[in-house]
Amino acid sequence: MSLDIDRRAGKSIAVRQFHDGALRILRPHYLDGSGQVCYVIVNPGGAYLGGDKYLIEVSVADGSDLLLTTQSATKIYRTPNDRAEQHTHIRLGANARLELLPDPLIAYREASYGQVSCVDMDPTASLVMAEVLTPGWSPDGGLFRYDEIRMRNEISIGGRLTVLDNLLIRPGTGSPVDSSNFMSHYTHLGSLLAVDARVDQALVDDLHTLLAPMNDGGRLGLTLLDGPGLALRALSHSTERLNEMLAAAVDLLRKRWHGQEPLNLRKY
């Protein structure tokens, strides 16, 4: 699927959209008076299966503003012969803004999944992207029965690769995630990247002050990037707890940078 966003008469609109195969784009929503447009991606098939390959292309023109989310969690079922893959290509023009906020990724038993997101953004653009990874149900009740999850984010600013975020979780091999070698006893992982010229150490400190009490019993890490930007990683035993933390982080950025109220996608 592909989606091109431009700004007309004070609102961001789609000037081109296309979908073929499993993924679909629902009609646009405007959640407030800012002119930011919200689009929802839906997979009528309900899950990714072995050998599935998905391509998402997004272009946000100069001065345009897009919030892109999914209708529900992305489920990865068994992939016995070939892994499922998703490739996302994003272009952000001058003063463009993208919030990429999908529902959680759930990997089930014997699932293998690769996700690569490549972003080419103007130095004046703003990017916020978040993800929650959670293990799916297994008949024996055990966790981490999926085979492999690979998630790679490549962010170029002004044509120069600036941020490379590479995550590999491969349970049951040299570094099983259910041991102290990687995730200790935690089962769920949350991640957020924010690339914006306004990111500084004071913002990182404010986010840590806000989020640390919310992750009671979990682990939280925040760091500055050279972008300029910031990276957040959180470990927990709960999808809900990570969703709350990432939502709080997104809401703080929306309020501070754009004067917007807390996000309410009204999905449920």
PDB file of all heavy atoms in Angstrom, residues 219-251:
ATOM      1  N   ARG A 219      11.793  -2.238  33.537  1.00  0.00           N
ATOM      2  CA  ARG A 219      13.043  -1.551  33.231  1.00  0.00           C
ATOM      3  C   ARG A 219      12.763  -0.469  32.194  1.00  0.00           C
ATOM      4  O   ARG A 219      11.985  -0.673  31.260  1.00  0.00           O
ATOM      5  CB  ARG A 219      14.079  -2.534  32.684  1.00  0.00           C
ATOM      6  CG  ARG A 219      14.533  -3.580  33.690  1.00  0.00           C
ATOM      7  CD  ARG A 219      15.418  -2.987  34.757  1.00  0.00           C
ATOM      8  NE  ARG A 219      15.888  -3.979  35.707  1.00  0.00           N
ATOM      9  CZ  ARG A 219      16.978  -4.720  35.565  1.00  0.00           C
ATOM     10  NH1 ARG A 219      17.706  -4.586  34.459  1.00  0.00           N
ATOM     11  NH2 ARG A 219      17.336  -5.593  36.478  1.00  0.00           N
ATOM     12  N   LEU A 220      13.445   0.664  32.335  1.00  0.00           N
ATOM     13  CA  LEU A 220      13.249   1.783  31.432  1.00  0.00           C
ATOM     14  C   LEU A 220      14.599   2.391  31.085  1.00  0.00           C
ATOM     15  O   LEU A 220      15.430   2.612  31.969  1.00  0.00           O
ATOM     16  CB  LEU A 220      12.347   2.840  32.077  1.00  0.00           C
ATOM     17  CG  LEU A 220      12.205   4.182  31.339  1.00  0.00           C
ATOM     18  CD1 LEU A 220      11.474   3.991  30.009  1.00  0.00           C
ATOM     19  CD2 LEU A 220      11.484   5.203  32.204  1.00  0.00           C
ATOM     20  N   GLY A 221      14.819   2.651  29.794  1.00  0.00           N
ATOM     21  CA  GLY A 221      16.031   3.325  29.361  1.00  0.00           C
ATOM     22  C   GLY A 221      15.710   4.405  28.350  1.00  0.00           C
ATOM     23  O   GLY A 221      14.880   4.208  27.458  1.00  0.00           O
ATOM     24  N   LEU A 222      16.342   5.562  28.496  1.00  0.00           N
ATOM     25  CA  LEU A 222      16.174   6.685  27.579  1.00  0.00           C
ATOM     26  C   LEU A 222      17.547   7.233  27.242  1.00  0.00           C
ATOM     27  O   LEU A 222      18.408   7.365  28.112  1.00  0.00           O
ATOM     28  CB  LEU A 222      15.330   7.794  28.221  1.00  0.00           C
ATOM     29  CG  LEU A 222      13.812   7.621  28.214  1.00  0.00           C
ATOM     30  CD1 LEU A 222      13.184   8.419  29.343  1.00  0.00           C
ATOM     31  CD2 LEU A 222      13.245   8.079  26.883  1.00  0.00           C
ATOM     32  N   THR A 223      17.750   7.559  25.972  1.00  0.00           N
ATOM     33  CA  THR A 223      19.047   8.086  25.577  1.00  0.00           C
ATOM     34  C   THR A 223      18.892   9.085  24.443  1.00  0.00           C
ATOM     35  O   THR A 223      17.970   8.978  23.628  1.00  0.00           O
ATOM     36  CB  THR A 223      19.993   6.948  25.142  1.00  0.00           C
ATOM     37  OG1 THR A 223      21.291   7.469  24.890  1.00  0.00           O
ATOM     38  CG2 THR A 223      19.479   6.267  23.877  1.00  0.00           C
ATOM     39  N   LEU A 224      19.788  10.056  24.407  1.00  0.00           N
ATOM     40  CA  LEU A 224      19.834  11.007  23.305  1.00  0.00           C
ATOM     41  C   LEU A 224      20.457  10.362  22.081  1.00  0.00           C
ATOM     42  O   LEU A 224      21.373   9.542  22.186  1.00  0.00           O
ATOM     43  CB  LEU A 224      20.648  12.245  23.701  1.00  0.00           C
ATOM     44  CG  LEU A 224      19.961  13.317  24.535  1.00  0.00           C
ATOM     45  CD1 LEU A 224      20.984  14.361  24.973  1.00  0.00           C
ATOM     46  CD2 LEU A 224      18.837  13.984  23.741  1.00  0.00           C
ATOM     47  N   LEU A 225      19.985  10.770  20.908  1.00  0.00           N
ATOM     48  CA  LEU A 225      20.556  10.353  19.634  1.00  0.00           C
ATOM     49  C   LEU A 225      21.204  11.557  18.963  1.00  0.00           C
ATOM     50  O   LEU A 225      20.912  12.704  19.301  1.00  0.00           O
ATOM     51  CB  LEU A 225      19.471   9.774  18.724  1.00  0.00           C
ATOM     52  CG  LEU A 225      18.662   8.604  19.285  1.00  0.00           C
ATOM     53  CD1 LEU A 225      17.528   8.249  18.321  1.00  0.00           C
ATOM     54  CD2 LEU A 225      19.550   7.391  19.531  1.00  0.00           C
ATOM     55  N   ASP A 226      22.055  11.282  17.990  1.00  0.00           N
ATOM     56  CA  ASP A 226      22.729  12.374  17.290  1.00  0.00           C
ATOM     57  C   ASP A 226      21.825  13.073  16.286  1.00  0.00           C
ATOM     58  O   ASP A 226      22.222  14.052  15.676  1.00  0.00           O
ATOM     59  CB  ASP A 226      23.969  11.837  16.558  1.00  0.00           C
ATOM     60  CG  ASP A 226      25.080  11.485  17.525  1.00  0.00           C
ATOM     61  OD1 ASP A 226      25.081  12.038  18.632  1.00  0.00           O
ATOM     62  OD2 ASP A 226      25.930  10.655  17.172  1.00  0.00           O
ATOM     63  N   GLY A 227      20.613  12.599  16.119  1.00  0.00           N
ATOM     64  CA  GLY A 227      19.702  13.023  15.062  1.00  0.00           C
ATOM     65  C   GLY A 227      19.499  14.494  14.794  1.00  0.00           C
ATOM     66  O   GLY A 227      19.643  14.907  13.669  1.00  0.00           O
ATOM     67  N   PRO A 228      19.117  15.369  15.721  1.00  0.00           N
ATOM     68  CA  PRO A 228      18.926  15.034  17.134  1.00  0.00           C
ATOM     69  C   PRO A 228      17.633  14.249  17.354  1.00  0.00           C
ATOM     70  O   PRO A 228      16.677  14.375  16.597  1.00  0.00           O
ATOM     71  CB  PRO A 228      18.846  16.409  17.800  1.00  0.00           C
ATOM     72  CG  PRO A 228      18.285  17.292  16.747  1.00  0.00           C
ATOM     73  CD  PRO A 228      18.822  16.786  15.436  1.00  0.00           C
ATOM     74  N   GLY A 229      17.648  13.452  18.396  1.00  0.00           N
ATOM     75  CA  GLY A 229      16.487  12.649  18.708  1.00  0.00           C
ATOM     76  C   GLY A 229      16.693  11.901  19.997  1.00  0.00           C
ATOM     77  O   GLY A 229      17.674  12.109  20.709  1.00  0.00           O
ATOM     78  N   LEU A 230      15.756  11.000  20.306  1.00  0.00           N
ATOM     79  CA  LEU A 230      15.858  10.190  21.507  1.00  0.00           C
ATOM     80  C   LEU A 230      15.321   8.800  21.216  1.00  0.00           C
ATOM     81  O   LEU A 230      14.492   8.594  20.331  1.00  0.00           O
ATOM     82  CB  LEU A 230      15.122  10.831  22.686  1.00  0.00           C
ATOM     83  CG  LEU A 230      13.610  11.015  22.602  1.00  0.00           C
ATOM     84  CD1 LEU A 230      12.846   9.775  23.087  1.00  0.00           C
ATOM     85  CD2 LEU A 230      13.169  12.232  23.412  1.00  0.00           C
ATOM     86  N   ALA A 231      15.823   7.836  21.986  1.00  0.00           N
ATOM     87  CA  ALA A 231      15.362   6.458  21.914  1.00  0.00           C
ATOM     88  C   ALA A 231      14.917   6.013  23.291  1.00  0.00           C
ATOM     89  O   ALA A 231      15.573   6.315  24.293  1.00  0.00           O
ATOM     90  CB  ALA A 231      16.467   5.548  21.389  1.00  0.00           C
ATOM     91  N   LEU A 232      13.803   5.303  23.327  1.00  0.00           N
ATOM     92  CA  LEU A 232      13.248   4.774  24.573  1.00  0.00           C
ATOM     93  C   LEU A 232      13.090   3.268  24.430  1.00  0.00           C
ATOM     94  O   LEU A 232      12.607   2.785  23.409  1.00  0.00           O
ATOM     95  CB  LEU A 232      11.905   5.430  24.866  1.00  0.00           C
ATOM     96  CG  LEU A 232      11.119   5.017  26.114  1.00  0.00           C
ATOM     97  CD1 LEU A 232      10.185   6.147  26.528  1.00  0.00           C
ATOM     98  CD2 LEU A 232      10.280   3.742  25.898  1.00  0.00           C
ATOM     99  N   ARG A 233      13.514   2.527  25.448  1.00  0.00           N
ATOM    100  CA  ARG A 233      13.251   1.100  25.541  1.00  0.00           C
ATOM    101  C   ARG A 233      12.695   0.822  26.930  1.00  0.00           C
ATOM    102  O   ARG A 233      13.188   1.347  27.933  1.00  0.00           O
ATOM    103  CB  ARG A 233      14.529   0.288  25.366  1.00  0.00           C
ATOM    104  CG  ARG A 233      15.060   0.198  23.954  1.00  0.00           C
ATOM    105  CD  ARG A 233      14.338  -0.858  23.134  1.00  0.00           C
ATOM    106  NE  ARG A 233      15.137  -1.235  21.990  1.00  0.00           N
ATOM    107  CZ  ARG A 233      15.121  -0.613  20.810  1.00  0.00           C
ATOM    108  NH1 ARG A 233      14.329   0.434  20.639  1.00  0.00           N
ATOM    109  NH2 ARG A 233      15.882  -1.035  19.827  1.00  0.00           N
ATOM    110  N   ALA A 234      11.675  -0.029  26.981  1.00  0.00           N
ATOM    111  CA  ALA A 234      11.086  -0.412  28.262  1.00  0.00           C
ATOM    112  C   ALA A 234      10.785  -1.902  28.242  1.00  0.00           C
ATOM    113  O   ALA A 234      10.338  -2.449  27.234  1.00  0.00           O
ATOM    114  CB  ALA A 234       9.810   0.384  28.528  1.00  0.00           C
ATOM    115  N   LEU A 235      11.027  -2.557  29.373  1.00  0.00           N
ATOM    116  CA  LEU A 235      10.716  -3.972  29.560  1.00  0.00           C
ATOM    117  C   LEU A 235       9.657  -4.103  30.629  1.00  0.00           C
ATOM    118  O   LEU A 235       9.683  -3.395  31.638  1.00  0.00           O
ATOM    119  CB  LEU A 235      11.970  -4.749  29.969  1.00  0.00           C
ATOM    120  CG  LEU A 235      13.126  -4.764  28.974  1.00  0.00           C
ATOM    121  CD1 LEU A 235      14.335  -5.462  29.586  1.00  0.00           C
ATOM    122  CD2 LEU A 235      12.725  -5.436  27.676  1.00  0.00           C
ATOM    123  N   SER A 236       8.738  -5.042  30.418  1.00  0.00           N
ATOM    124  CA  SER A 236       7.639  -5.197  31.357  1.00  0.00           C
ATOM    125  C   SER A 236       7.075  -6.609  31.226  1.00  0.00           C
ATOM    126  O   SER A 236       7.502  -7.397  30.376  1.00  0.00           O
ATOM    127  CB  SER A 236       6.552  -4.149  31.067  1.00  0.00           C
ATOM    128  OG  SER A 236       5.451  -4.288  31.945  1.00  0.00           O
ATOM    129  N   HIS A 237       6.091  -6.922  32.073  1.00  0.00           N
ATOM    130  CA  HIS A 237       5.327  -8.161  31.951  1.00  0.00           C
ATOM    131  C   HIS A 237       3.940  -7.897  31.368  1.00  0.00           C
ATOM    132  O   HIS A 237       3.115  -8.807  31.341  1.00  0.00           O
ATOM    133  CB  HIS A 237       5.175  -8.819  33.327  1.00  0.00           C
ATOM    134  CG  HIS A 237       6.461  -9.280  33.924  1.00  0.00           C
ATOM    135  ND1 HIS A 237       7.186 -10.329  33.427  1.00  0.00           N
ATOM    136  CD2 HIS A 237       7.173  -8.813  34.981  1.00  0.00           C
ATOM    137  CE1 HIS A 237       8.288 -10.509  34.138  1.00  0.00           C
ATOM    138  NE2 HIS A 237       8.301  -9.590  35.085  1.00  0.00           N
ATOM    139  N   SER A 238       3.687  -6.680  30.920  1.00  0.00           N
ATOM    140  CA  SER A 238       2.323  -6.294  30.564  1.00  0.00           C
ATOM    141  C   SER A 238       2.291  -5.430  29.316  1.00  0.00           C
ATOM    142  O   SER A 238       2.986  -4.412  29.243  1.00  0.00           O
ATOM    143  CB  SER A 238       1.681  -5.543  31.740  1.00  0.00           C
ATOM    144  OG  SER A 238       0.503  -4.885  31.360  1.00  0.00           O
ATOM    145  N   THR A 239       1.474  -5.821  28.349  1.00  0.00           N
ATOM    146  CA  THR A 239       1.235  -4.983  27.178  1.00  0.00           C
ATOM    147  C   THR A 239       0.570  -3.679  27.593  1.00  0.00           C
ATOM    148  O   THR A 239       0.922  -2.605  27.100  1.00  0.00           O
ATOM    149  CB  THR A 239       0.337  -5.720  26.169  1.00  0.00           C
ATOM    150  OG1 THR A 239       0.978  -6.929  25.760  1.00  0.00           O
ATOM    151  CG2 THR A 239       0.065  -4.858  24.945  1.00  0.00           C
ATOM    152  N   GLU A 240      -0.393  -3.770  28.507  1.00  0.00           N
ATOM    153  CA  GLU A 240      -1.133  -2.584  28.922  1.00  0.00           C
ATOM    154  C   GLU A 240      -0.208  -1.555  29.554  1.00  0.00           C
ATOM    155  O   GLU A 240      -0.342  -0.351  29.303  1.00  0.00           O
ATOM    156  CB  GLU A 240      -2.246  -2.971  29.895  1.00  0.00           C
ATOM    157  CG  GLU A 240      -3.398  -3.753  29.270  1.00  0.00           C
ATOM    158  CD  GLU A 240      -3.038  -5.195  28.948  1.00  0.00           C
ATOM    159  OE1 GLU A 240      -2.035  -5.705  29.520  1.00  0.00           O
ATOM    160  OE2 GLU A 240      -3.744  -5.812  28.133  1.00  0.00           O
ATOM    161  N   ARG A 241       0.734  -2.010  30.387  1.00  0.00           N
ATOM    162  CA  ARG A 241       1.643  -1.081  31.040  1.00  0.00           C
ATOM    163  C   ARG A 241       2.511  -0.366  30.006  1.00  0.00           C
ATOM    164  O   ARG A 241       2.714   0.855  30.077  1.00  0.00           O
ATOM    165  CB  ARG A 241       2.508  -1.830  32.051  1.00  0.00           C
ATOM    166  CG  ARG A 241       3.508  -0.961  32.816  1.00  0.00           C
ATOM    167  CD  ARG A 241       2.795   0.124  33.626  1.00  0.00           C
ATOM    168  NE  ARG A 241       1.840  -0.403  34.545  1.00  0.00           N
ATOM    169  CZ  ARG A 241       2.125  -0.804  35.785  1.00  0.00           C
ATOM    170  NH1 ARG A 241       3.349  -0.730  36.235  1.00  0.00           N
ATOM    171  NH2 ARG A 241       1.178  -1.260  36.565  1.00  0.00           N
ATOM    172  N   LEU A 242       3.009  -1.097  29.024  1.00  0.00           N
ATOM    173  CA  LEU A 242       3.833  -0.475  27.987  1.00  0.00           C
ATOM    174  C   LEU A 242       3.009   0.463  27.117  1.00  0.00           C
ATOM    175  O   LEU A 242       3.473   1.539  26.736  1.00  0.00           O
ATOM    176  CB  LEU A 242       4.500  -1.556  27.126  1.00  0.00           C
ATOM    177  CG  LEU A 242       5.562  -2.392  27.841  1.00  0.00           C
ATOM    178  CD1 LEU A 242       6.072  -3.487  26.913  1.00  0.00           C
ATOM    179  CD2 LEU A 242       6.718  -1.532  28.339  1.00  0.00           C
ATOM    180  N   ASN A 243       1.789   0.076  26.797  1.00  0.00           N
ATOM    181  CA  ASN A 243       0.915   0.972  26.032  1.00  0.00           C
ATOM    182  C   ASN A 243       0.693   2.286  26.778  1.00  0.00           C
ATOM    183  O   ASN A 243       0.705   3.368  26.176  1.00  0.00           O
ATOM    184  CB  ASN A 243      -0.436   0.301  25.767  1.00  0.00           C
ATOM    185  CG  ASN A 243      -0.387  -0.695  24.630  1.00  0.00           C
ATOM    186  OD1 ASN A 243       0.504  -0.644  23.773  1.00  0.00           O
ATOM    187  ND2 ASN A 243      -1.342  -1.614  24.603  1.00  0.00           N
ATOM    188  N   GLU A 244       0.485   2.199  28.082  1.00  0.00           N
ATOM    189  CA  GLU A 244       0.276   3.403  28.883  1.00  0.00           C
ATOM    190  C   GLU A 244       1.518   4.291  28.878  1.00  0.00           C
ATOM    191  O   GLU A 244       1.421   5.514  28.761  1.00  0.00           O
ATOM    192  CB  GLU A 244      -0.082   3.007  30.316  1.00  0.00           C
ATOM    193  CG  GLU A 244      -1.458   2.364  30.456  1.00  0.00           C
ATOM    194  CD  GLU A 244      -1.686   1.829  31.861  1.00  0.00           C
ATOM    195  OE1 GLU A 244      -0.758   1.955  32.708  1.00  0.00           O
ATOM    196  OE2 GLU A 244      -2.773   1.277  32.117  1.00  0.00           O
ATOM    197  N   MET A 245       2.681   3.682  28.997  1.00  0.00           N
ATOM    198  CA  MET A 245       3.923   4.457  29.027  1.00  0.00           C
ATOM    199  C   MET A 245       4.182   5.155  27.699  1.00  0.00           C
ATOM    200  O   MET A 245       4.503   6.352  27.660  1.00  0.00           O
ATOM    201  CB  MET A 245       5.091   3.542  29.377  1.00  0.00           C
ATOM    202  CG  MET A 245       5.072   2.999  30.785  1.00  0.00           C
ATOM    203  SD  MET A 245       6.443   1.873  31.082  1.00  0.00           S
ATOM    204  CE  MET A 245       7.832   3.002  30.873  1.00  0.00           C
ATOM    205  N   LEU A 246       4.040   4.412  26.600  1.00  0.00           N
ATOM    206  CA  LEU A 246       4.296   5.016  25.298  1.00  0.00           C
ATOM    207  C   LEU A 246       3.260   6.091  24.988  1.00  0.00           C
ATOM    208  O   LEU A 246       3.593   7.130  24.404  1.00  0.00           O
ATOM    209  CB  LEU A 246       4.299   3.942  24.214  1.00  0.00           C
ATOM    210  CG  LEU A 246       5.411   2.895  24.310  1.00  0.00           C
ATOM    211  CD1 LEU A 246       5.365   1.960  23.107  1.00  0.00           C
ATOM    212  CD2 LEU A 246       6.780   3.543  24.422  1.00  0.00           C
ATOM    213  N   ALA A 247       2.004   5.862  25.380  1.00  0.00           N
ATOM    214  CA  ALA A 247       0.974   6.877  25.170  1.00  0.00           C
ATOM    215  C   ALA A 247       1.298   8.142  25.953  1.00  0.00           C
ATOM    216  O   ALA A 247       1.115   9.265  25.448  1.00  0.00           O
ATOM    217  CB  ALA A 247      -0.392   6.333  25.584  1.00  0.00           C
ATOM    218  N   ALA A 248       1.780   7.986  27.178  1.00  0.00           N
ATOM    219  CA  ALA A 248       2.143   9.157  27.986  1.00  0.00           C
ATOM    220  C   ALA A 248       3.295   9.917  27.345  1.00  0.00           C
ATOM    221  O   ALA A 248       3.309  11.156  27.334  1.00  0.00           O
ATOM    222  CB  ALA A 248       2.504   8.721  29.398  1.00  0.00           C
ATOM    223  N   ALA A 249       4.278   9.194  26.801  1.00  0.00           N
ATOM    224  CA  ALA A 249       5.401   9.847  26.127  1.00  0.00           C
ATOM    225  C   ALA A 249       4.928  10.602  24.893  1.00  0.00           C
ATOM    226  O   ALA A 249       5.314  11.754  24.652  1.00  0.00           O
ATOM    227  CB  ALA A 249       6.460   8.815  25.756  1.00  0.00           C
ATOM    228  N   VAL A 250       4.087   9.960  24.090  1.00  0.00           N
ATOM    229  CA  VAL A 250       3.559  10.604  22.882  1.00  0.00           C
ATOM    230  C   VAL A 250       2.749  11.843  23.247  1.00  0.00           C
ATOM    231  O   VAL A 250       2.874  12.895  22.609  1.00  0.00           O
ATOM    232  CB  VAL A 250       2.712   9.602  22.073  1.00  0.00           C
ATOM    233  CG1 VAL A 250       1.927  10.313  20.972  1.00  0.00           C
ATOM    234  CG2 VAL A 250       3.603   8.520  21.466  1.00  0.00           C
ATOM    235  N   ASP A 251       1.924  11.736  24.288  1.00  0.00           N
ATOM    236  CA  ASP A 251       1.098  12.872  24.696  1.00  0.00           C
ATOM    237  C   ASP A 251       1.954  14.057  25.149  1.00  0.00           C
ATOM    238  O   ASP A 251       1.632  15.225  24.865  1.00  0.00           O
ATOM    239  CB  ASP A 251       0.146  12.464  25.814  1.00  0.00           C
ATOM    240  CG  ASP A 251      -1.000  11.599  25.315  1.00  0.00           C
ATOM    241  OD1 ASP A 251      -1.237  11.568  24.090  1.00  0.00           O
ATOM    242  OD2 ASP A 251      -1.646  10.937  26.154  1.00  0.00           O
TER     243      ASP A 251
END
